[in-house]
Amino acid sequence: VLHQERRKSEEEVQEKIEYRDGKVEEVLTDGRRIITFRNGTKKEISADKRTTTISFFNGDVKKIMPDQRVIYYYADAQTTHTAYPDGLEVLQFPNNQIEKHYPDGTQEIVFPDHTVKCLYSDGFKETFFPDGTVVKVEKNGDKIVVFSNGQKEVHTAQFKRREYPDGTVKTVYCNGRQETKYSTGRVQIKDEGGNIILDKK
């Protein structure tokens, strides 16, 4: 409270202008201008005129920074939206999720658990999980999952395939047929009922 009182005495109003529309403009001794509108919205312009802060009656706050960044805080959603002059937009949510929207259409979402999802303008998607797993999804829906243990899965409309670090490859086709190629060269094929129809060593 003492600090606030001291601040107020340093911020004395040098000039006060009241407009017909109900708007009030105050020029403070430190050079800042504060314009208060009838609806309660306040606009503060820094002494160097390089920073503008608008505090809306609903609690939202918009700041225009000297580097041309525009930072908008949505009070109800507790979300901050920052727009950069190069076109990058960053959203920060109350749960610590961060979304970056790049000018080329790419989106990057960082979830609270540190999972990162990238959505590219051509429809390709990549997700990086904290445990090292990476999931890539092509525009056509084909999916590749690379696990931190070196295993890899490929999912297409025709089959699901799992590749193991030792070279073994297991494929399950959409008709239920299973094929396993072992690193030793052995090949085993099972029909849709699980019956072995080929076992070549």
Side-chain angles (χ1 to χ4, degrees), residues 22-36:
K23 178 173 70 175
V24 176
E25 185 174 348
E26 296 175 314
V27 180
L28 305 180
T29 50
D30 66 6
R32 283 181 299 134
R33 289 182 175 278
I34 298 174
I35 301 156
T36 306

Side-chain angles (χ1 to χ4, degrees), residues 50-179:
R50 295 182 67 212
T51 306
T52 301
T53 304
I54 303 164
S55 303
F56 296 95
F57 62 92
N58 66 355
D60 289 3
V61 178
K62 179 181 182 179
K63 273 189 166 191
I64 302 163
M65 306 302 283
D67 63 5
Q68 299 307 302
R69 271 181 305 145
V70 177
I71 303 167
Y72 196 105
Y73 176 74
Y74 296 91
D76 279 351
Q78 298 178 2
T79 299
T80 303
H81 175 251
T82 305
Y84 292 83
D86 65 2
L88 172 66
E89 295 185 34
V90 179
L91 291 146
Q92 292 176 284
F93 297 94
N95 67 352
N96 292 326
Q97 179 174 316
I98 297 170
E99 285 185 19
K100 294 179 182 179
H101 298 250
Y102 294 90
D104 68 359
T106 301
Q107 291 181 36
E108 179 183 290
I109 304 162
V110 180
F111 294 94
D113 70 354
H114 304 293
T115 296
V116 178
K117 186 174 205 168
C118 298
L119 310 167
Y120 300 95
S121 54
D122 63 2
F124 181 68
K125 299 175 193 160
E126 266 183 315
T127 306
F128 303 88
F129 293 92
D131 69 357
T133 301
V134 178
V135 177
K136 299 176 183 192
V137 182
E138 299 287 344
K139 188 178 177 180
N140 67 3
D142 289 359
K143 185 193 308 189
I144 297 171
V145 182
V146 180
F147 297 95
S148 55
N149 64 6
Q151 293 182 20
K152 180 177 167 181
E153 260 185 32
V154 179
H155 297 221
T156 72
Q158 295 79 31
F159 64 83
K160 287 185 181 176
R161 175 184 297 140
R162 187 128 188 175
E163 300 171 9
Y164 296 86
D166 71 356
T168 300
V169 177
K170 288 187 176 185
T171 306
V172 178
Y173 294 92
C174 58
N175 64 4
R177 192 171 69 105
Q178 298 176 42
E179 182 180 285

Side-chain angles (χ1 to χ4, degrees), residues 177-182 186-191 195-201:
R177 192 171 69 105
Q178 298 176 42
E179 182 180 285
T180 306
K181 293 180 181 176
Y182 296 93
R186 178 180 171 196
V187 176
Q188 187 179 69
I189 299 175
K190 295 179 182 177
D191 65 15
N195 305 307
I196 296 172
I197 54 174
L198 177 78
D199 196 344
K200 192 173 81 179
K201 294 183 178 159

